[in-house]
């Protein structure tokens, strides 16, 4: 399974909230519970004005960031003529939960006070007394010029008509706008789709995403509180996963800055130096500054005012408690940091998370002494330290590395941590990222060690869950993990392998072909048959109807020859365009490579994308109706998924049937660390149906010939203990070979620091003498050609008994 991801886990501003914008009814758009136009001022720079330019302020009343990429604000004169055009100002970034977003417009010659730093800038000279402003999903100018016409345009997210504006929400526009007064919503940001009821005139109060206002108040600047308020960080965090103060304004929250993030989801962490006695309440919290870079430094003693919000980085994820739209006062600098909490095998519980019967655990009181996820939640935003941590997931392209604070927890032979069952979660795993650009995460492989202390702040993200934003990284100790090379098959052994080559197509760089080819020719010692998953069509993600893979396979097999391997031939059945899932336009499919000097492929015509292969009983045993062919390809079990490829091979006069599989991915499943426990595995339903289809076909082969040698293999996207594999092996028609290995070797894939098995080789009872190996060349390494390790089985087709 290859899981695509949009970016490093908690890039809050980069993860836009997808909105369903409904058509506006007679009054206007459905009342917004998220982004609204919070204030409009067109008197900037006019005679008598204090501010020098016009502005539009947006606000977010929702609990998640509202992404503005591709959005715009647009202005129309209050009494538009036939030739009046909407004037467009494009937006970017996002509005934080409870935050503001400031769009500066045209400046005039009057006024003496500048706006705070704008989040976006337009050039529209708005009228001080009458006009219409719309927040629009898109940047194409609106064309409507009446309230009724605009009500029919579903692109409009919110709209404010002021003065005598013809286009407005509700029975009438909001009045009172002038050179000295703006129109603005109340503190609750109520939106009933009636401009006159929702907004009122008053003195302009522009606020940007950093919480800055005109006149200079803002983070690190004059105008903030100078004495602590009554609320402390532990009051904000509370004793559950949700803040009891969510949605409320807080003033003068004291703390010392323990970490600063200047990219992605910008902000800083503060921690109270006077903790309470309740182990459930965290003493740290993230202060989100939006698009503005934080102006504080580690060691600053600060007072923070703002709005408490719960940020959900993804559907089903837990939330991150934070203070948004902050106003920060720096009281002093260079202060000692609070002592870091030690994370080790004795402090992290063995149980993973409480159950809620599949429901949300958010309202459950935390029990940090009993559950690992409760402990990490009780430390959210708090400094922690861990020493001599073993790497269980190699450094990724996103500069993240997985480590464990429990070195004896389900260890693998090569230094990883084995994912053994749904009930036995690995509680010591944590993802580590660096907050210090001068000390990046080193390129580490599984089994390496971050020697010495790694210290940082506990954070939460959609990818990986709880993690440590490191201010100090341990020193890399390279334990010399080597890529494996399996032995060469003997003359009488048929070697069959499976390898997920991760969306390989003819447009990929030669280096990828060469590395994958080395894996086949050298690491796998040139198997007789190789089942490939994720071979794309010849132009990859270009979506133009191409379905053939000849150029892709020619480049790959040429590269294998160059790496010292044989000249492989290939067989596949081209999919129908866009019907097999995977990357849009890629048309991934399963493919057989085979060495014609060692094995014969039995070609039987008639196999195509929609024709089902059948087992045929003959006097000499079972054969296939078509070869290559597909298993029941029109079954709904294969909707938007790869269809199994079946081929009949001859080796030393004996028939061997090989079934190449790539089952549906785990996309859509709830995460192990999410707020729903136990997590639902919704994708499993389709894989179980797919396994049943393959089991039915294998059963038909064995009914035609109980001695048929069948090798079923590929990326099943599921574990050896899963219902998928249990369904596939029902009736004992197939045996999973992964379970014949020692427990510490039963893996071929590493995800979130868990060594696990998604790839499998299974054999029918007649395959009685075999030698099976998972060849570790990718999944444990920072430098990998695929995220899967290949597997191989060597079969003595005339032998009795078995070995492995």
């Amino acid at each position: 399974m290859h899981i695509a991801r949009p970016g490093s886990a908690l890039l809050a501003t980069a993860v836009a909230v997808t909105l369903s914008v409904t058509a506006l009814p007679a009054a206007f758009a459905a009342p917004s519970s998220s982004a609204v136009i919070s204030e409009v001022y067109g008197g900037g720079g006019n005679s008598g004005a204090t501010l020098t330019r016009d502005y539009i302020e947006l606000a977010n009343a929702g609990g998640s960031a509202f992404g503005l990429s591709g959005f715009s604000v647009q202005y129309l004169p209050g009494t538009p003529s036939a030739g009046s055009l909407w004037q467009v100002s494009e937006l970017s970034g996002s509005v934080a939960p409870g935050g503001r977003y400031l769009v500066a417009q045209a400046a005039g010659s009057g006024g003496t006070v500048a706006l705070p730093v704008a989040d976006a800038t337009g050039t529209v000279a708005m009228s001080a007394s009458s006009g219409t402003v719309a927040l629009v999903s898109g940047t194409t100018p609106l064309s409507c010029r009446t309230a009724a016409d605009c009500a029919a345009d579903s692109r409009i997210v919110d709209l404010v008509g002021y003065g005598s504006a013809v286009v407005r929400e509700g029975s009438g526009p909001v009045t009172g706008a002038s050179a000295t007064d703006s129109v603005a919503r109340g503190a609750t940001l109520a939106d009933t789709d009636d401009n006159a009821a929702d907004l009122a005139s008053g003195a302009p109060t522009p606020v940007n995403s950093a919480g800055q206002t005109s006149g200079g108040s803002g983070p690190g600047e004059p105008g903030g509180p100078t004495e602590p308020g009554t609320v402390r960080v532990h009051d904000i965090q509370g004793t559950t996963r949700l803040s009891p103060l969510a949605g409320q304004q807080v003033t003068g929250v004291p703390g010392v800055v323990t970490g600063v993030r200047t990219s992605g989801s910008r902000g800083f962490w503060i921690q109270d130096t006077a903790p309470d006695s309740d182990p459930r309440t965290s003493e740290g919290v993230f202060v989100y500054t939006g698009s503005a870079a934080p102006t504080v430094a580690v060691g600053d003693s600060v007072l923070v005012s703002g709005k408490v919000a719960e940020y959900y980085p993804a559907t089903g994820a837990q939330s991150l408690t934070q203070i948004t739209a902050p106003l920060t006062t720096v009281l002093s600098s260079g202060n000692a940091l609070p002592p870091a909490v030690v994370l080790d095998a004795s402090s992290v519980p063995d149980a993973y998370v409480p159950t809620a019967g599949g429901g949300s655990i958010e309202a459950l009181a935390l029990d940090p002494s009993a559950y690992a996820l409760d402990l990490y939640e009780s430390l959210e935003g708090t400094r922690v330290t861990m020493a001599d941590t073993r790497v269980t997931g190699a450094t990724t392209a996103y500069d993240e590395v997985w480590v464990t604070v429990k070195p004896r927890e389900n260890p693998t032979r090569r230094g990883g941590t084995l994912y053994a069952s749904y009930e036995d979660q690995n509680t010591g795993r944590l993802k580590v990222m660096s907050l210090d650009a001068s000390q990046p995460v080193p390129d580490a492989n599984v089994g390496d060690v971050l020697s010495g202390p790694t210290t940082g702040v506990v954070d939460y993200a959609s990818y990986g869950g709880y993690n440590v934003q490191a201010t100090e990284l341990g020193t890399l100790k390279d334990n010399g993990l080597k890529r494996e090379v399996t032995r060469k098959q003997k003359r009488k052994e048929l070697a069959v392998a499976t390898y997920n080559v991760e969306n390989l197509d003819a447009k990929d760089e030669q280096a990828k072909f060469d590395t994958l080819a080395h894996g086949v020719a050298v690491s796998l010692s040139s198997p007789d048959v190789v089942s490939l998953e994720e071979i794309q069509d010849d132009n990859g993600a270009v979506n133009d109807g191409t379905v053939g893979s000849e150029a892709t396979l020619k480049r790959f097999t040429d590269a294998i020859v160059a790496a010292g391997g044989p000249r492989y031939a290939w067989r596949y059945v081209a999919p129908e365009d866009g019907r097999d899932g995977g990357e849009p336009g890629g048309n991934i499919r399963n493919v057989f490579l085979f060495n014609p000097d060692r094995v014969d492929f039995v070609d039987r015509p008639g196999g195509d994308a929609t024709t089902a292969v059948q087992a045929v009983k003959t006097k000499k045993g079972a054969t296939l109706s078509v070869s290559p062919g597909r298993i029941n390809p029109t079954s709904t079990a294969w909707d938007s998924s790869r269809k199994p490829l079946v081929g009949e091979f001859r080796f030393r006069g004996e028939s061997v049937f090989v079934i190449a599989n790539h089952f549906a991915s785990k996309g859509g499943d709830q995460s192990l660390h999410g707020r729903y426990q136990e997590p639902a595995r919704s994708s499993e339903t389709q894989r179980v149906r797919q396994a049943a289809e393959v089991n039915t076909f294998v059963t038909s082969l064995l009914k035609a010939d109980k001695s048929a040698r069948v090798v079923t293999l590929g990326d099943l996207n599921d574990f050896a203990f899963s219902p998928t594999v249990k369904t596939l092996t029902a009736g004992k028609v197939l045996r999973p070979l992964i379970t014949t290995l020692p427990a510490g070797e039963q893996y071929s894939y590493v995800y979130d620091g868990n060594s696990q098995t998604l790839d499998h080789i299974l054999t029918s009872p007649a395959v009685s003498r075999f030698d099976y190996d998972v060849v570790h060349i990718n999944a444990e390494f920072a430098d990998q050609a695929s995220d899967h390790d290949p597997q191989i089985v060597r079969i003595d087709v005339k032998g009795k008994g078995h070995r492995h």
Side-chain angles (χ1 to χ4, degrees), residues 489 494-495 526-530 557 560-561 565-571 592-603 648-652:
Q489 66 269 27
L494 174 69
S526 300
D528 301 310
V529 178
V530 184
T557 54
I560 292 173
V561 172
R567 170 61 66 182
Y568 283 103
W570 62 79
R571 296 290 189 275
F592 291 131
L593 300 185
F594 64 95
N595 180 0
D597 292 336
R598 290 261 305 163
V599 65
D600 295 322
F601 188 87
V602 180
D603 286 295
E648 185 176 339
F649 294 86
R650 299 283 292 178
F651 179 74
R652 299 183 69 207

Side-chain angles (χ1 to χ4, degrees), residues 221-580:
E221 299 175 356
T226 58
E227 296 292 335
T230 59
V231 173
R232 310 295 288 239
V233 170
H234 47 253
D235 298 321
I236 293 172
Q237 289 286 10
T239 59
T240 71
R241 286 171 163 80
L242 298 179
S243 171
L245 302 180
Q248 298 182 31
Q249 293 288 330
V250 291
T251 302
V253 180
V256 171
V257 177
T258 57
V260 177
R261 184 159 54 200
T262 58
S263 61
S265 179
R266 294 178 173 179
F268 57 93
W269 288 267
I270 62 171
Q271 186 168 334
D272 199 329
T273 57
D276 66 6
S277 59
D278 192 335
R280 299 172 297 175
T281 57
S282 172
E283 300 296 338
V285 70
F286 184 62
V287 180
Y288 175 61
T289 61
S291 59
T295 57
V296 297
V298 172
D300 284 353
S301 176
V302 298
L303 300 175
V304 178
S305 302
K307 187 175 182 179
V308 177
E310 295 289 347
Y311 170 68
Y312 290 92
T315 302
Q318 295 190 55
S319 63
L320 176 72
T321 303
Q322 55 187 15
I323 301 175
T324 64
L327 182 65
T328 305
T329 303
V330 178
L331 301 178
S332 62
S333 299
N335 296 280
L337 301 184
V341 175
V342 176
L343 295 179
D344 58 20
S346 64
S347 64
V348 177
D350 292 331
Y352 190 63
V353 64
T355 181
S360 173
I361 58 174
E362 290 180 311
L364 300 180
L366 296 175
D367 191 350
S369 65
Y371 303 106
L373 289 196
D374 283 21
L375 172 67
Y376 297 143
E377 174 65 22
S378 74
L379 296 173
E380 181 186 84
T382 301
R383 293 186 75 232
V384 297
T385 188
M386 44 195 179
D388 301 329
T389 51
R390 174 168 49 83
V391 173
T392 64
T395 304
T396 71
Y398 304 96
D399 295 321
E400 306 160 348
V401 65
W402 282 87
V403 301
T404 182
V405 299
K406 290 186 169 184
R408 296 184 180 179
E409 186 176 47
N410 294 326
T412 68
R413 178 176 63 85
R414 289 165 57 87
T417 295
L418 188 71
Y419 183 45
S421 72
Y422 295 127
E423 293 75 31
D424 186 19
Q425 301 296 342
N426 294 305
T427 62
R429 299 171 302 113
L430 283 167
K431 185 168 64 177
V432 175
M433 294 170 281
S434 179
L435 280 175
D436 186 354
S438 67
Q439 190 182 22
V441 172
D443 287 339
N445 299 323
V446 168
D448 291 347
V449 172
L450 293 184
S451 181
T454 293
T455 304
V457 183
V458 175
D459 195 26
Y460 180 81
S462 58
Y463 281 91
Y466 294 98
N467 58 83
V468 175
Q469 299 283 331
T471 54
E472 177 187 12
L473 281 169
T475 303
L476 178 65
K477 178 185 176 184
D478 185 348
N479 278 340
L481 189 70
K482 302 297 183 185
R483 300 182 198 272
E484 292 184 333
V485 175
T486 197
R487 72 168 176 85
K488 183 74 175 177
Q489 66 269 27
K490 298 176 182 177
R491 183 186 62 83
K492 65 178 182 179
E493 291 176 318
L494 174 69
V496 184
T498 175
Y499 197 179
N500 184 319
V501 292
E502 197 173 346
N503 288 332
L504 185 67
D505 68 75
K507 299 179 71 175
D508 283 329
E509 295 182 358
Q510 188 61 38
K512 180 175 182 179
F513 280 94
D514 292 344
T515 304
L516 290 168
H518 183 273
V520 172
V522 178
S523 299
L524 288 172
S525 295
S526 300
D528 301 310
V529 178
V530 184
S531 169
L532 299 174
E533 299 88 55
E534 295 198 15
I535 290 289
Q536 293 195 329
D537 62 34
D538 287 335
N539 59 15
V542 177
N543 197 357
D544 63 356
T546 298
V547 295
S549 293
E550 299 301 301
T552 302
L553 293 168
K554 177 65 165 58
R555 282 190 66 189
F556 191 29
T557 54
D558 285 349
I560 292 173
V561 172
R567 170 61 66 182
Y568 283 103
W570 62 79
R571 296 290 189 275
Y572 67 88
V573 173
E576 293 181 281
D577 185 36
R579 299 295 296 273
D580 280 21

